[in-house]
Amino acid sequence: MNLLKEFIKGWWKENPVFVMVLGTCPTLAVTNSVKNAIGMIAAVAFVLLGSSFIVSLIRKIVPNQVRIATFIVVIATFVTMADRYLAAFYPQLSKALGPYVPLIVVNCIILGRQEAFASKNGVLASVLDALGMSIGFGIALMLMGSVREILGSGTWLGMKVFGSWYIPWQVMILPAGAFFVFGFLIWGFNSINKAFAKR
Amino acid sequence: MELLIVFISALLINNFVLHYFLGICPFIGVSNRLDSAISMGMAVTFVMTIASAVSWLIYYLILVPFRVEFLEIVSFILVIASLVQVVEMFIKKASPPLYQALGIYLPLITTNCAILGVALISVLKEYSFIETLVFSLGAGLGFALAITIMAGIREELEFADVPETLKGPGITLITAGILALAFMGFSGLIK
């Protein structure tokens, strides 16, 4: 039961993007299309799962003073793997994501989960926590990506959503649109949570 | 002339916060007061310039000759993390007043994605050493500019009647969106 709670909390109640406002860089930068968002979600999920697994395995043998440095090296190793894999098998996606794949290293969600959870809990709980957080991150990025691509290009994952009458709302796929959509989504999230809390 | 273009584009057109979305965490977290925003901007500019110079040297003098470019991510993040510590110790000894002003912001900078971002982007764009220096200085000042403007606006926002659930990150992001729109005006500056 407890394990289930660790798994589900990241989806909504402790959603890493909308509630904790972590990992904002990729949320804003790669959500101009759903395809880029999916690539980013896959890369982050891989890194988060891998490093949570390793960190919870070695948590008892790492001295407390050097734990942050150890976590960063573990994370950087998985990021390098993800980066090389994307560059080899999906060169186009890798190019579109640009520096944001290597930048997963400094994504606060990942280091935050290691520090707050994986370094204190067992392997199974840590992997479930990582999986739940990845899903929460995924929900956030898919929401951002869908809103921005549908409004900004009139398509969803490359498929036409509107007829030819629709004039794409260009600013949505530009940086300014990212800030607007993110701001309004946080607003919506907070309002819904508050409405539920009142009951 | 080339250098000037690199500088202006890093400062205004491809502003690190408003165009590349790097350093958003401090941009939202530390922008509620003007004086702390200015200190943060200065600390970032300082560390950014040194970090990207050191990363450039490591990349071209160690990683490329030994053909281990794939270690880029691991080595850059370690360099930045240890550099921040060294800079902190150095400032503490050399200039206590400066340490007083920047002190608490320095450790935060390790996890600032803008620092690693500048190092990675200079390698990606194959900048020379001098270009890297100018680029990182421009990027750092651009960050300082954005966070200072933001802090100025947010101090005024304190008196505005913002809906309860929009307060904090929400309104800051929407304000940043308007700022980003304003900065788009600079894009005509360089062809």
Side-chain angles (χ1 to χ4, degrees):
Chain A
M1 201 53 221
N2 245 341
L3 287 176
L4 193 71
K5 219 157 89 197
E6 303 301 356
F7 181 53
I8 292 180
K9 69 172 190 267
W11 296 13
W12 187 281
K13 213 175 92 213
E14 289 183 29
N15 187 298
V17 179
F18 288 133
V19 177
M20 298 198 272
V21 200
L22 296 175
T24 40
C25 304
T27 310
L28 292 165
V30 299
T31 49
N32 49 2
S33 74
V34 175
K35 201 174 151 211
N36 289 351
I38 292 175
M40 195 56 173
I41 295 167
V44 167
F46 168 74
V47 174
L48 188 51
L49 277 174
S51 31
S52 274
F53 177 69
I54 297 286
V55 165
S56 59
L57 265 187
I58 60 170
R59 72 183 190 280
K60 289 195 179 118
I61 48 173
V62 177
N64 204 28
Q65 296 89 334
V66 293
R67 65 178 197 288
I68 301 278
T70 318
F71 300 163
I72 289 186
V73 174
V74 171
I75 295 169
T77 312
F78 279 103
V79 172
T80 310
M81 280 155 72
D83 184 39
R84 296 289 100 188
Y85 179 81
L86 281 179
F89 292 98
Y90 301 95
Q92 255 185 330
L93 185 65
S94 167
K95 221 172 173 172
L97 295 179
Y100 297 104
V101 178
L103 279 171
I104 295 174
V105 179
V106 282
N107 188 322
C108 346
I109 296 176
I110 295 174
L111 190 62
R113 283 341 280 170
Q114 311 312 321
E115 172 69 9
F117 201 90
S119 61
K120 296 187 189 96
N121 289 282
V123 175
L124 187 63
S126 302
V127 168
L128 281 176
D129 173 73
L131 207 59
M133 284 295 158
S134 308
I135 292 172
F137 181 72
I139 291 173
L141 255 71
M142 286 305 283
L143 258 175
M144 287 280 296
S146 303
V147 171
R148 286 183 70 194
E149 195 183 331
I150 290 174
L151 292 179
S153 320
T155 59
W156 193 81
L157 205 57
M159 293 176 292
K160 267 218 164 334
V161 175
F162 299 117
S164 50
W165 52 269
Y166 184 72
I167 301 163
W169 194 3
Q170 281 272 326
V171 77
M172 279 300 153
I173 50 172
L174 293 175
F179 285 114
F180 288 136
V181 174
F182 195 13
F184 280 110
L185 282 178
I186 286 186
W187 187 12
F189 234 79
N190 283 343
S191 306
I192 293 171
N193 278 344
K194 206 181 154 203
F196 271 102
K198 258 189 199 149
R199 263 197 229 156
Chain B
M1 201 52 215
E2 278 288 302
L3 289 178
L4 191 68
I5 290 178
V6 168
F7 182 75
I8 298 281
S9 92
L11 179 67
L12 295 175
I13 299 165
N14 295 333
N15 185 289
F16 256 66
V17 178
L18 301 171
H19 185 268
Y20 281 120
F21 308 110
L22 296 172
I24 295 285
C25 302
F27 181 67
I28 294 172
V30 198
S31 62
N32 43 7
R33 279 184 49 226
L34 196 56
D35 49 346
S36 53
I38 294 173
S39 304
M40 184 70 185
M42 289 303 114
V44 166
T45 312
F46 187 66
V47 175
M48 195 180 257
T49 315
I50 303 176
S52 58
V54 175
S55 318
W56 190 94
L57 291 174
I58 289 196
Y59 188 79
Y60 286 101
L61 297 183
I62 300 174
L63 298 187
V64 173
F66 287 101
R67 309 187 60 88
V68 285
E69 289 95 335
F70 63 88
L71 287 178
E72 174 190 45
I73 303 171
V74 183
S75 45
F76 280 12
I77 189 75
L78 286 179
V79 163
I80 290 167
S82 42
L83 195 75
V84 171
Q85 300 255 298
V86 173
V87 168
E88 195 183 348
M89 285 190 286
F90 179 77
I91 296 181
K92 205 174 182 178
K93 272 265 178 275
S95 161
L98 189 64
Y99 181 76
Q100 283 286 314
L102 303 185
I104 49 165
Y105 301 109
L106 284 171
L108 286 176
I109 289 176
T110 316
T111 50
N112 184 333
C113 35
I115 309 276
L116 185 64
V118 170
L120 289 167
I121 290 172
S122 345
V123 168
L124 208 70
K125 290 196 172 172
E126 297 175 344
Y127 280 148
S128 72
F129 187 63
I130 302 293
E131 279 172 330
T132 302
L133 276 185
V134 172
F135 175 66
S136 52
L137 186 67
L141 289 176
F143 175 83
L145 180 70
I147 197 171
T148 310
I149 296 176
M150 195 59 186
I153 296 175
R154 277 185 76 176
E155 283 197 341
E156 297 295 317
L157 265 179
E158 298 261 306
F159 307 106
D161 188 17
V162 180
E164 191 60 41
T165 44
L166 188 61
K167 272 188 181 144
I171 189 70
T172 311
L173 282 162
I174 292 170
T175 315
I178 299 170
L179 258 184
L181 275 181
F183 268 67
M184 269 165 63
F186 287 120
S187 60
L189 220 56
I190 289 171
K191 282 266 158 63

